[in-house]
Amino acid sequence: MQHLNINHILKIDQTPLYIFDIDVLYQRIQYLKNYLPQRVSLCYAMKANPFLVKELENHVNKLEVCSPGEYYICEENNIHVDKLVISGVYKSSQDIEHMLLKGVKTFTIESLTQFELLCEQCQKHHQTIDVLLRLTSGNQFGMCQKEVIQIIHNRKQYPYLHILGIQYFSGTQKTSVKKLYKECQKLDELISYLSQVENYNVEELEFGGGFPVSYFEDGKIFDEETYLNEFSKCLNEMNYQGKIILELGRSIVASCGSYLTSVVDMKVNHNGNYAILDGGMHHMAYYGQMMAMKHPVYHLYPERENNNPQTWNLCGALCTINDLIVKQLPITNLKVGDVFVFENTGAYSMCEGISLFLSRDLPAVYFYKDNTYTKVRQHIPTYPINSIERRR
């Protein structure tokens, strides 16, 4: 994101902060659509970055909502209920009732208990909904194949539930297309069985591809174009030729995010050079970071040529030895006040960190679109007393 005007943002606000480039986000979505079969639509897993739901509403087919909090974010942003797929391993009767009364139409079913709960609430309010039966991949999510078949076999007993199809998600950062082939084959076999034995035709398959994102400057080049072409071929070769909703989070939004944090202190200890940043692990989490051994993609501001660099350990502002961002990073003439711009932080970084630890402020959040910065969240104290004191 070298096109960002870092000088401008530093004049109007202080670090640490996030910038989400909406232009890059839209380009990314179009890139994915260009490589996927026409029958494939996109579902955004909003847990990757809840700030972006309104920006994505008209650019993806569905938004996956995995908690009451995520639902209320959508409600506050006036997201149309037809866009929402209510997922997640725990749905209370109160939450389901509220969503039904608001007109939400589509839910996933994670267990027989959830199934009974949805039946109960739909019958109570005489409301018919679409449901996707989640097939487990061998973890705590979803139901076993036997339970999925059982519900479909008895589907006429549930007049308020329209069984729309199957949901399946097996993980994240899957670089092997062979694994995706095996998963598609498994789903194809189940869908064929349901058609031939249960006389049930799957209308929609929601598939979580878990596409990988490259975060680190480790010399490995991920050929995404070939990956997407092979995955599309995999989908086209399935016997099932119905509607596919591809659920993605990280792959859609990672590239649109930057995290800015400044050097506030420097020291030399027996074990090396240390630079203390005003941000840290409570704001930024890279998947597969391996205790800061890998070097993420970043830019340093002000820019400089990397001649005769020294190696620096970049540490955050938390009082824990675990708050290491990067180890042994070669940098020339590092100074207090320098700003690191860490890239590919559009997914999970702002919501996976331990943001409440040590009660540091939550960073500001900006959107960058059409060469304009828009603040969507101010710096927020994590402890209410701090907030009261600062207003005096």
Side-chain angles (χ1 to χ4, degrees), residues 65-74 87 90-92 95 99:
V65 177
C66 283
S67 74
E70 290 187 350
Y71 168 76
Y72 288 115
I73 289 172
C74 292
S87 193
Y90 171 54
K91 305 177 182 76
S92 73
D95 293 327
M99 295 175 197

Side-chain angles (χ1 to χ4, degrees), residues 131-191:
V131 296
L132 293 163
L133 306 180
R134 182 162 186 176
L135 177 67
T136 186
S137 60
N139 48 35
Q140 74 267 38
F141 303 107
M143 300 177 288
C144 67
Q145 185 166 302
K146 182 179 179 181
E147 292 171 327
V148 170
I149 294 172
Q150 174 190 340
I151 291 174
I152 289 175
H153 180 77
N154 297 321
R155 61 191 180 278
K156 292 183 180 179
Q157 300 177 21
Y158 319 116
Y160 293 104
L161 299 189
H162 170 234
I163 302 174
L164 186 61
I166 305 294
Q167 183 193 48
Y168 183 82
F169 183 82
S170 65
T172 188
Q173 291 288 79
K174 288 184 285 189
T175 58
S176 172
V177 178
K178 290 182 179 179
K179 183 174 182 179
L180 293 172
Y181 262 99
K182 290 179 180 179
E183 291 174 348
C184 289
Q185 185 178 27
K186 175 182 176 181
L187 291 167
D188 221 10
E189 290 172 356
L190 173 60
I191 292 171

Side-chain angles (χ1 to χ4, degrees), residues 49-242:
N49 188 332
F51 288 98
L52 297 171
V53 289
K54 191 63 178 177
E55 297 296 326
L56 285 168
E57 180 181 13
N58 296 322
H59 293 265
V60 295
N61 184 259
K62 294 287 185 179
L63 296 167
E64 189 203 29
V65 177
C66 283
S67 74
E70 290 187 350
Y71 168 76
Y72 288 115
I73 289 172
C74 292
E75 190 175 283
E76 185 177 340
N77 281 276
N78 297 313
I79 304 297
H80 198 284
V81 291
D82 289 347
K83 283 281 186 177
L84 307 183
V85 178
I86 308 301
S87 193
V89 293
Y90 171 54
K91 305 177 182 76
S92 73
S93 59
Q94 293 87 353
D95 293 327
I96 290 174
E97 186 170 42
H98 176 84
M99 295 175 197
L100 286 176
L101 294 175
K102 289 292 185 177
V104 176
K105 298 286 195 295
T106 308
F107 292 76
T108 67
I109 293 178
E110 287 270 355
S111 68
L112 294 178
T113 302
Q114 279 193 6
F115 177 74
E116 293 170 0
L117 188 58
L118 281 166
C119 285
E120 177 185 309
Q121 287 295 326
C122 288
Q123 185 172 359
K124 176 181 176 180
H125 295 285
H126 302 286
Q127 186 165 332
T128 301
I129 61 171
D130 294 329
V131 296
L132 293 163
L133 306 180
R134 182 162 186 176
L135 177 67
T136 186
S137 60
N139 48 35
Q140 74 267 38
F141 303 107
M143 300 177 288
C144 67
Q145 185 166 302
K146 182 179 179 181
E147 292 171 327
V148 170
I149 294 172
Q150 174 190 340
I151 291 174
I152 289 175
H153 180 77
N154 297 321
R155 61 191 180 278
K156 292 183 180 179
Q157 300 177 21
Y158 319 116
Y160 293 104
L161 299 189
H162 170 234
I163 302 174
L164 186 61
I166 305 294
Q167 183 193 48
Y168 183 82
F169 183 82
S170 65
T172 188
Q173 291 288 79
K174 288 184 285 189
T175 58
S176 172
V177 178
K178 290 182 179 179
K179 183 174 182 179
L180 293 172
Y181 262 99
K182 290 179 180 179
E183 291 174 348
C184 289
Q185 185 178 27
K186 175 182 176 181
L187 291 167
D188 221 10
E189 290 172 356
L190 173 60
I191 292 171
S192 295
Y193 174 88
L194 293 173
S195 176
Q196 296 167 12
V197 179
E198 299 295 341
N199 195 30
Y200 167 78
N201 293 319
V202 170
E203 298 174 46
E204 184 173 303
L205 171 64
E206 185 178 313
F207 182 61
F211 288 177
V213 170
S214 298
Y215 286 122
F216 307 106
E217 297 176 333
D218 57 3
K220 296 180 181 178
I221 299 175
F222 173 62
D223 186 353
E224 187 174 37
E225 184 176 334
T226 298
Y227 181 93
L228 291 173
N229 282 329
E230 291 180 354
F231 176 68
S232 296
K233 180 183 177 183
C234 167
L235 296 181
N236 288 330
E237 290 177 355
M238 291 179 70
N239 292 320
Y240 173 73
Q241 288 297 303

Side-chain angles (χ1 to χ4, degrees), residues 217 261 263 266 273-277 295-296 298-315 325-336 338-342:
E217 297 176 333
T261 178
V263 178
M266 300 168 65
N273 302 320
Y274 292 87
I276 309 300
L277 310 179
H295 293 180
Y298 77 97
H299 302 290
L300 186 61
Y301 180 86
E303 297 180 2
R304 68 207 63 181
E305 293 184 5
N306 213 16
N307 297 325
N308 302 315
Q310 289 182 297
T311 55
W312 288 89
N313 300 302
L314 305 187
C315 305
I325 306 302
V326 190
K327 290 180 179 178
Q328 300 298 305
L329 185 66
I331 308 170
T332 298
N333 196 25
L334 187 66
K335 297 178 181 178
V336 170
D338 285 348
V339 175
F340 284 92
V341 182
F342 290 102

